[in-house]
Amino acid sequence: MGLVGKTLSLMVTFNTFMSLHIAVEQPPTIITHTSGPIVALPFDNTITIRCEARGNPPPEYRWTKDGEDFVPPYVTTDHPGGTFELHNKGLQAFQGKYRCYASNELGTAMTEEIELRVPSMPKFPKEFNFPVVVKEGEPIVLECNPPEGMAPRQIYWMSSDLKHIEQDERVSMGIDGNLYFSNALQNDSRADYCCFAHFSKIRTIVQKTQMAVVVKSCRFTKNSLSQARPARRPSLLLPSGVQTEKVLLKGENLQLECIPQGYPTPTVKWMKMGDKLPLRTQLNNFGKLLFISSVDESDGGKYMCKGQNPAGEVVHYFDVIVEDPPKWETEPPQSQLTVIGTDVHIKCSVSGKPPPDITWRRNGDLFRDDLGSNNKQVFDDTLVFLNAGAQDSAVYQCEASNTHGSILANINVMVMNMAPRILTRDFQEYAVVRGKDVVMNCSVFSSPPPNISWVKDETLEIVKGERFSDFGGSLKIFSAEKSDSGKYLCVASNTEGNSSVAAILDVKDSTKIVHPPQDMRIISGTTAQLTCQAEVDKSLRDAFEVVWRKDGEEIPLSSEENPSDGMLQIMSVNLDDQGSYMCIARTILDEDNATALLTVLDVPDAPKNLEILELKSQRNVCLSWVPGSDHNSSVTEFIVEYEESQWEPGRWKELKKVAGNQATAEVALQGDLNYQFRVYAVNVVGPGPPSEPTERYKTPPAAPEKNPENIKIQGPLPHQLDISWEPLLPMEHNGPGLEYKVSYRKLGVEDVWKEHLVKRHSFVVRNTSTFIPFEIKIQSRNSHGWGPDPKVVTGYSGEDVPTAAPRDVAVEVINTTVLRVSWTPAPPATVRGHLGGYDVHWLRKRSWLEPNKILDDRKTLSFPGKRTLAIVPGLEPFSEYMLTVNVFNKKGNGPNSDPVTFNTPEGEQVPILTASNAQKDSVLLVWAPPRETNGILTGYLLQHHLGTYTHTHTHTHERAGLWGLEEGKPLPLPSPKPAPEPGCGPPLAQESRTPPTAASTGAQRSNFLTHGWFIGTMCAVALLTLVALMACFVRRNQGGKYLHVCTADPDHPSLLVGCSDGEEKPLKGGSLLSLTGDEALGDSVSRDSMADYGNVGREFNEDGSFIGEYSGFTHRGSVSEPSGPQPVTA
């Protein structure tokens, strides 16, 4: 390695040592200090001047002020190092330039000069100002001479009543604060010109004693007419002379000013000699001030201003020079660690304009060539040590300065030989996640520079490969793998010795988000949940956290709000919550992130700029608007509302809906109304707020556009016709004076229209015939004309009760409980109203079981509509009845027809049967008589079955015995059938068994379950039982308590005309009715009781949709098939 290479290596080693460790001796290094200048403000209680250095041994501090030693009056322990404070009281005595020196056994470091400025409170001197007297047309200069003070400083010229002096091309203020008049006018005369200086940083305004100006007129008035003022050639009030040199630093603002005087008022023009004015040039103060911000070298050169008027011109030249303070060309010179016997070069490369002067110091003292030694030499900006030794170790200062400032650098030079000393802690632990890079440090301080190598402890082989790299002595591993975990050794050696330290590397699993948050669209006001689940190395769980950011800014969450599962819950979402949400799952080693977009849906904003445009007429207008934001949910429709001030002020009503992709609506308006409109938008979230209402819009009056609707024609009295209608809404009047023309005439005859004008919404026609059809029409009108032609409606005058009864009433008994009734309708003219239907009344006079007992059991069924036939259920068997029929309408019932008398046939009932005293070959049967005989009881018919044989017996008493039965066999027994005169009642099946003998019982207990004969016997018994039950079911359908299925008359679908023994079927056009009041008949029979259809009044609709009504059933009965029809006539 060459000498330069060794020197650079030593410099790197020294810099690493200085920045990481101070366990070995090292010279002082300034680490922080106050940069000047410091400006003390009046309200500052203390001024702190800082100076802090590091070194080993710890440095000691001293200060100089203006080149002389200075002992700070207040050194406080609150600040480290050489920092001291100055109190506000008496601060003026401490104004000056300070330096801080930090020294230990190895040298002294120093700071640049720190200037402390203590400005005094600005104020104008007390003075008396004589009035300024000039002739009209002459120039005036009012001097302000503002005091120095804390910048920035602003100057104002005002009158005593604090009004600004008006400035223009003729009157203006210069940069120096003076007020310049190019030529005086008589109205410039005043006695209260005041100059104010404002120092904003110290919150102070000071005022100069006011000045007076007197302008005398130059006009000749004695024996002559006034003469015009003569022109005067321009000259410059500011600046003076022909040329001015302007020197400023690069980056400062350039201000060049020319204020001319003359009459008429001269104008000012600017130019740059040999070049164009920079594009950044601004002309201020009415063209008198040239301003260029942040100048650089290209802005230097010669500028010229020219003031001119009709009498001539004047010019002034500015030589602008842009200079630089000293600055490092690349970077300050670096500290060096070198081996004894080598050459040391310290180069101080600076630039500036004018070129800076360089001053060298050693440990803060000015450096001079040692007369007794020729190994130190200075070549311009370079200090050279030839064959340096340990005595050359020190802190050297390079200071470069010119007229604009200075810069200083401290260079620590250490000349020594030293074995490697590793500054990195032994057994330093490093952790990295798989796939990431890691650097294991090995900072070494030595002279000469060491050779550094890394080995892995398990193999003691030097670590090498594509993924391993030397990083300034440290080991860098790219894309770490699990196999890289383990113990490593850093070995450093040079000619003076060697040293080593260990490093422990642990490669962990990376953090990975497995369930990232998903994009979400959510309605405002609801709760949003964003999930973020991650996998993390087990050893890093304690340091694991989930952080959420919204639009790049972290969301502050408490431990309760930030659950371990990483879910982010946003309550009552609003539009401010919309944005991009990033979930960051992180540990101390790595992190993973995922992003989701939360879109908040809300109601649309109110439309804007709602305007009214007239179309064909003043009552047909177009509304237009600008839709507001839809807040991420497309507008489905716009609702146009109106409010009018005459009838319902303050109440908004819907006028029209338009599609969401439209922003206009054409609307037709009513007349004579003062409208106001507004619009709101609707989306899937809901309706938004309305727009601002329009100005009032008045429509002209007009004739009505519609006639009344919902005309009702009623006849509450027989000779009266009541007509009513829905009146027009107030806003439909279209003008004043609304009234209605009611027209009516008889229908079907030649009759003239009778007309009446009314203001109310009803009219009564009296003295009409009963139930006569009329034609009616109603037309609206107001003061401006008639409404459209009305529609004609028909209606009837009042009804009255019917006057005639149905004729030819006939009764046909269908079975014991049901009959068919027919009649001839009453003449339509006698109904005298809308036909309501017919009432069938029947009276049970007596039961033939007790013929001497007179009954009064009355019942009624109503059959609405036009009909001539009805089925009447619910009769009692073996009874005498009387029946009448009447017609009814809305007004009431007509007279009853002539009564019809008829009888119902006898019925049937089942006795109660029990089997008892069963013996080996006999059984005793006992039964009770039926509760209702429904006729004359003559005896009982008893049947029993043995195998395939059926045996029948007749008995007159309620008991019987059966003998000759087989032992242990079941015996199916139908119940005895009561035999009244017309026939037998239905049987009831019952099964009994004879007891087996002991021997047979024992045998059966042993093995009867496995014998084939037993299985066959049980099958035969089951079959016989099924056959018996089917037979009993068929007999019961022929007569008893089961309802037969009835069919409908094809000519009269609503009437029951016949019954069949076959399969049950529902009634056509209705449902089956229970004839026993509350007894359920089965799933195929409706459970609606006829008692539910009681009389509910006679006010039926004209269509007569009511089927029938039934009331008053208190006796349970049955319906059985009759032997044949039994017609009965009156």
Side-chain angles (χ1 to χ4, degrees):
M1 182 183 294
L3 180 59
V4 176
K6 289 183 179 180
T7 301
L8 291 176
S9 178
L10 284 169
M11 290 173 63
V12 171
T13 303
F14 181 77
N15 289 336
T16 303
F17 160 71
M18 294 293 290
S19 61
L20 295 178
H21 205 274
I22 59 172
V24 296
E25 290 184 348
Q26 65 179 46
T29 301
I30 302 292
I31 57 175
T32 182
H33 70 282
T34 301
S35 299
I38 304 171
V39 180
L41 301 177
F43 41 79
D44 290 336
N45 294 326
T46 59
I47 299 296
T48 301
I49 303 179
R50 302 179 181 277
C51 179
E52 186 179 352
R54 68 184 175 194
N56 191 24
E60 296 179 354
Y61 300 88
R62 66 183 179 90
W63 286 87
T64 63
K65 175 179 177 289
D66 299 328
E68 303 291 335
D69 288 338
F70 171 76
V71 178
Y74 306 104
V75 178
T76 174
T77 57
D78 295 339
H79 301 286
T83 300
F84 68 91
E85 289 182 350
L86 297 174
H87 292 179
N88 186 281
K89 186 177 181 180
L91 198 58
Q92 192 72 34
F94 295 99
Q95 182 169 271
K97 296 181 179 180
Y98 294 82
R99 277 191 195 271
C100 172
Y101 296 84
S103 305
N104 67 6
E105 297 173 357
L106 302 182
T108 300
M110 60 184 289
T111 66
E112 301 171 355
E113 284 188 332
I114 306 169
E115 183 180 4
L116 173 62
R117 300 175 185 171
V118 184
S120 59
M121 287 298 293
K123 60 182 179 179
F124 283 99
K126 293 182 178 181
E127 58 185 350
F128 175 77
N129 295 317
F130 291 97
V132 178
V133 181
V134 296
K135 294 181 180 180
E136 190 175 6
E138 292 181 349
I140 305 174
V141 177
L142 298 181
E143 295 184 356
C144 179
N145 298 323
E148 296 295 331
M150 175 68 63
R153 182 187 67 185
Q154 292 178 296
I155 308 298
Y156 305 97
W157 282 89
M158 306 176 76
S159 61
S160 59
D161 56 356
L162 300 181
K163 292 183 178 178
H164 287 274
I165 301 299
E166 186 176 353
Q167 300 185 31
D168 52 20
E169 292 83 355
R170 185 180 65 88
V171 181
S172 60
M173 183 182 69
I175 299 175
D176 56 5
N178 297 336
L179 188 63
Y180 296 89
F181 296 74
S182 294
N183 49 79
L185 301 177
Q186 281 195 334
N187 58 10
D188 294 331
S189 297
R190 62 188 308 155
D192 58 348
Y193 285 94
C194 299
C195 178
F196 292 85
H198 178 209
F199 301 88
S200 58
K201 205 161 192 179
I202 59 175
R203 300 185 286 258
T204 300
I205 298 177
V206 293
Q207 176 185 353
K208 184 181 178 70
T209 304
Q210 64 186 26
M211 293 173 280
V213 172
V214 179
V215 180
K216 295 183 177 181
S217 174
C218 293
R219 295 180 180 178
F220 300 96
T221 59
K222 186 177 180 179
N223 301 323
S224 65
L225 297 175
S226 298
Q227 298 180 1
R229 186 185 311 153
R232 193 174 71 255
R233 182 183 178 86
S235 63
L236 291 179
L237 297 176
L238 189 76
S240 60
V242 178
Q243 182 168 334
T244 302
E245 183 177 83
K246 184 75 171 179
V247 178
L248 69 163
L249 292 177
K250 181 180 179 182
E252 291 183 341
N253 297 330
L254 171 64
Q255 295 186 94
L256 303 179
E257 189 174 37
C258 279
I259 301 180
Q261 63 93 8
Y263 183 83
T265 303
T267 58
V268 179
K269 294 184 179 179
W270 292 89
M271 65 185 66
K272 185 177 182 182
M273 309 304 292
D275 200 355
K276 292 182 180 181
L277 289 174
L279 296 177
R280 306 189 316 281
T281 302
Q282 300 177 25
L283 297 180
N284 301 328
N285 198 16
F286 309 101
K288 302 173 187 178
L289 177 66
L290 180 142
F291 178 86
I292 301 176
S293 62
S294 302
V295 297
D296 54 24
E297 292 84 353
S298 63
D299 296 320
K302 183 166 289 190
Y303 291 78
M304 183 188 76
C305 75
K306 179 189 294 185
Q308 59 184 9
N309 67 6
E313 63 181 30
V314 63
V315 298
H316 188 88
Y317 297 94
F318 296 89
D319 192 9
V320 177
I321 302 171
V322 180
E323 296 186 345
D324 266 336
K327 64 179 181 181
W328 306 112
E329 288 187 347
T330 54
E331 59 180 357
Q334 301 297 310
S335 297
Q336 300 183 29
L337 171 64
T338 186
V339 182
I340 297 174
T342 59
D343 295 340
V344 176
H345 296 256
I346 304 175
K347 187 174 181 60
C348 194
S349 299
V350 294
S351 63
K353 186 178 181 181
D357 295 325
I358 298 177
T359 303
W360 292 94
R361 289 183 173 87
R362 184 178 189 270
N363 293 330
D365 298 327
L366 288 175
F367 179 78
R368 296 180 177 85
D369 291 340
D370 192 345
L371 299 178
S373 174
N374 58 2
N375 73 324
K376 301 180 183 66
Q377 299 176 1
V378 176
F379 299 98
D380 296 329
D381 60 353
T382 304
L383 176 62
V384 178
F385 298 87
L386 302 176
N387 193 21
Q391 70 280 1
D392 295 318
S393 297
V395 180
Y396 295 87
Q397 287 85 28
C398 165
E399 185 173 27
S401 58
N402 64 9
T403 56
H404 302 296
S406 63
I407 54 175
L408 181 142
N410 288 284
I411 306 102
N412 295 338
V413 176
M414 296 187 68
V415 182
M416 61 186 301
N417 286 0
M418 183 179 179
R421 184 169 183 175
I422 299 179
L423 307 177
T424 304
R425 184 168 63 87
D426 198 7
F427 285 95
Q428 177 75 45
E429 295 182 354
Y430 298 91
V432 67
V433 296
R434 185 165 51 186
K436 297 294 184 179
D437 302 341
V438 62
V439 176
M440 291 186 287
N441 295 320
C442 188
S443 298
V444 182
F445 180 63
S446 70
S447 181
N451 293 318
I452 299 176
S453 61
W454 285 84
V455 297
K456 197 167 184 182
D457 190 41
E458 291 82 353
T459 61
L460 294 181
E461 295 181 357
I462 295 177
V463 177
K464 57 184 178 179
E466 293 182 354
R467 294 190 302 108
F468 302 93
S469 173
D470 178 47
F471 193 70
S474 300
L475 177 63
K476 183 172 184 179
I477 303 177
F478 299 92
S479 300
E481 300 174 354
K482 278 284 189 179
S483 59
D484 296 331
S485 298
K487 179 180 177 182
Y488 292 80
L489 290 177
C490 170
V491 180
S493 61
N494 66 3
T495 57
E496 305 297 322
N498 57 66
S499 180
S500 66
V501 293
I504 308 300
L505 177 63
D506 184 9
V507 181
K508 302 178 182 295
D509 290 327
S510 60
T511 303
K512 183 179 181 181
I513 295 177
V514 293
H515 294 293
Q518 303 297 317
D519 292 346
M520 180 180 296
R521 293 171 63 86
I522 190 166
I523 295 177
S524 176
T526 58
T527 299
Q529 291 183 340
L530 298 174
T531 59
C532 182
Q533 296 183 6
E535 293 179 348
V536 64
D537 191 276
K538 294 181 179 179
S539 63
L540 298 175
R541 288 191 180 276
D542 293 340
F544 171 72
E545 65 176 349
V546 176
V547 176
W548 288 89
R549 290 179 181 170
K550 177 183 179 292
D551 298 331
E553 295 186 6
E554 186 169 330
I555 302 175
L557 297 174
S558 63
S559 57
E560 293 80 8
E561 296 173 324
N562 192 4
S564 58
D565 60 2
M567 177 180 292
L568 177 65
Q569 185 166 304
I570 308 173
M571 310 294 290
S572 299
V573 172
N574 57 43
L575 292 173
D576 292 336
D577 298 318
Q578 179 172 284
S580 176
Y581 286 80
M582 176 182 288
C583 156
I584 303 174
R586 68 187 180 193
T587 64
I588 57 175
L589 297 180
D590 72 332
E591 66 180 38
D592 192 15
N593 64 74
T595 302
L597 184 63
L598 179 65
T599 304
V600 178
L601 311 181
D602 205 349
V603 297
D605 282 344
K608 302 176 182 178
N609 302 334
L610 180 60
E611 296 179 349
I612 303 175
L613 302 175
E614 290 187 5
L615 296 177
K616 299 177 182 178
S617 69
Q618 291 180 312
R619 293 177 52 207
N620 289 274
V621 299
C622 177
L623 300 176
S624 66
W625 59 87
V626 176
S629 172
D630 62 7
H631 295 310
N632 306 306
S633 177
S634 298
V635 174
T636 57
E637 62 182 0
F638 288 98
I639 310 296
V640 179
E641 293 185 319
Y642 73 93
E643 180 263 352
E644 51 84 22
S645 59
Q646 181 177 355
W647 301 104
E648 293 182 286
R651 182 180 177 186
W652 289 91
K653 300 179 182 179
E654 182 178 313
L655 180 59
K656 190 172 185 179
K657 293 181 179 180
V658 298
N661 58 357
Q662 295 184 16
T664 60
E666 294 184 8
V667 293
L669 306 179
Q670 300 291 336
D672 197 32
L673 291 178
N674 198 9
Y675 280 97
Q676 204 175 17
F677 303 97
R678 70 182 187 185
V679 181
Y680 66 88
V682 180
N683 61 12
V684 296
V685 182
S691 65
E692 290 294 325
T694 63
E695 297 290 333
R696 288 286 177 182
Y697 182 81
K698 177 71 174 178
T699 56
E705 293 182 342
K706 61 182 297 187
N707 291 314
E709 297 177 346
N710 295 330
I711 300 174
K712 295 182 180 180
I713 303 170
Q714 297 174 326
L717 297 176
H719 303 288
Q720 184 171 304
L721 179 67
D722 286 6
I723 306 171
S724 62
W725 57 89
E726 282 188 6
L728 297 186
L729 296 176
M731 62 174 300
E732 295 173 339
H733 291 186
N734 276 3
L738 181 74
E739 55 186 359
Y740 304 98
K741 183 176 73 172
V742 181
S743 305
Y744 61 92
R745 69 180 179 183
K746 292 181 181 179
L747 178 65
V749 297
E750 293 186 0
D751 194 8
V752 297
W753 289 98
K754 298 181 177 61
E755 298 177 347
H756 298 272
L757 283 175
V758 296
K759 295 183 180 297
R760 60 184 182 275
H761 54 277
S762 64
F763 184 77
V764 177
V765 182
R766 305 183 189 278
N767 300 322
T768 65
S769 301
T770 301
F771 201 62
I772 299 298
F774 281 86
E775 289 182 311
I776 298 99
K777 59 182 180 179
I778 301 174
Q779 186 177 17
S780 57
R781 60 157 285 178
N782 63 15
S783 302
H784 293 269
W786 291 95
D789 291 337
K791 295 180 179 179
V792 178
V793 297
T794 59
Y796 287 82
S797 59
E799 301 183 18
D800 206 345
V801 296
T803 58
R807 295 173 287 112
D808 303 330
V809 177
V811 174
E812 179 183 359
V813 177
I814 298 177
N815 56 33
T816 59
T817 62
V818 179
L819 61 92
R820 178 186 291 110
V821 183
S822 62
W823 61 85
T824 299
T830 66
V831 176
R832 300 203 297 176
H834 295 288
L835 175 66
Y838 293 86
D839 288 334
V840 178
H841 312 275
W842 66 94
L843 167 66
R844 186 185 181 200
K845 299 175 65 177
R846 64 174 58 86
S847 172
W848 292 115
L849 296 177
E850 298 177 289
N852 296 326
K853 182 178 179 181
I854 303 302
L855 302 177
D856 190 16
D857 185 6
R858 299 176 183 271
K859 295 187 174 79
T860 299
L861 269 179
S862 293
F863 298 89
K866 184 179 180 181
R867 63 177 65 230
T868 60
L869 188 68
I871 299 298
V872 177
L875 305 180
E876 297 292 338
F878 206 49
S879 299
E880 180 182 3
Y881 282 89
M882 184 176 69
L883 181 144
T884 61
V885 180
N886 70 267
V887 65
F888 63 85
N889 62 17
K890 292 181 180 181
K891 298 299 289 186
N893 295 333
N896 290 333
S897 66
D898 295 333
V900 177
T901 302
F902 63 92
N903 293 321
T904 56
E906 295 182 68
E908 303 163 349
Q909 186 53 274
V910 181
I912 300 173
L913 170 68
T914 61
S916 63
N917 196 21
Q919 302 297 326
K920 177 174 66 174
D921 58 354
S922 64
V923 171
L924 176 64
L925 302 179
V926 179
W927 60 89
R931 285 188 292 270
E932 295 289 342
T933 59
N934 293 330
I936 300 174
L937 184 66
T938 59
Y940 299 94
L941 184 66
L942 178 67
Q943 294 178 336
H944 71 276
H945 304 278
L946 289 176
T948 58
Y949 297 99
T950 301
H951 302 272
T952 304
H953 308 273
T954 302
H955 296 272
T956 59
H957 301 288
E958 285 80 18
R959 60 168 45 199
L962 298 181
W963 290 270
L965 306 178
E966 295 185 19
E967 178 183 357
K969 296 297 181 67
L971 180 66
L973 297 175
S975 67
K977 295 189 293 182
E981 288 184 351
C984 294
L988 175 64
Q990 183 170 329
E991 182 179 285
S992 183
R993 182 187 295 273
T994 58
T997 62
S1000 64
T1001 301
Q1004 290 172 356
R1005 288 178 180 175
S1006 62
N1007 58 1
F1008 76 94
L1009 293 176
T1010 59
H1011 288 180
W1013 64 266
F1014 173 76
I1015 298 173
T1017 301
M1018 293 305 294
C1019 293
V1021 170
L1023 180 61
L1024 289 175
T1025 302
L1026 179 61
V1027 171
L1029 290 174
M1030 293 176 62
C1032 182
F1033 179 73
V1034 171
R1035 291 297 301 274
R1036 288 195 178 190
N1037 282 345
Q1038 293 176 351
K1041 70 176 181 179
Y1042 296 104
L1043 180 68
H1044 285 207
V1045 177
C1046 301
T1047 60
D1049 188 335
D1051 296 329
H1052 302 280
S1054 62
L1055 301 180
L1056 304 178
V1057 298
C1059 302
S1060 69
D1061 296 334
E1063 179 180 342
E1064 294 186 2
K1065 299 177 183 178
L1067 293 176
K1068 183 182 297 183
S1071 57
L1072 291 175
L1073 304 177
S1074 170
L1075 302 184
T1076 58
D1078 58 353
E1079 182 177 4
L1081 300 182
D1083 293 340
S1084 64
V1085 181
S1086 169
R1087 285 153 174 81
D1088 293 336
S1089 172
M1090 289 296 292
D1092 295 335
Y1093 302 107
N1095 285 324
V1096 292
R1098 299 303 188 187
E1099 298 297 328
F1100 296 99
N1101 293 329
E1102 293 185 15
D1103 60 353
S1105 59
F1106 186 77
I1107 295 176
E1109 61 179 353
Y1110 179 63
S1111 63
F1113 276 103
T1114 59
H1115 181 72
R1116 306 177 70 183
S1118 62
V1119 177
S1120 61
E1121 182 180 8
S1123 58
Q1126 301 179 15
V1128 179
T1129 59

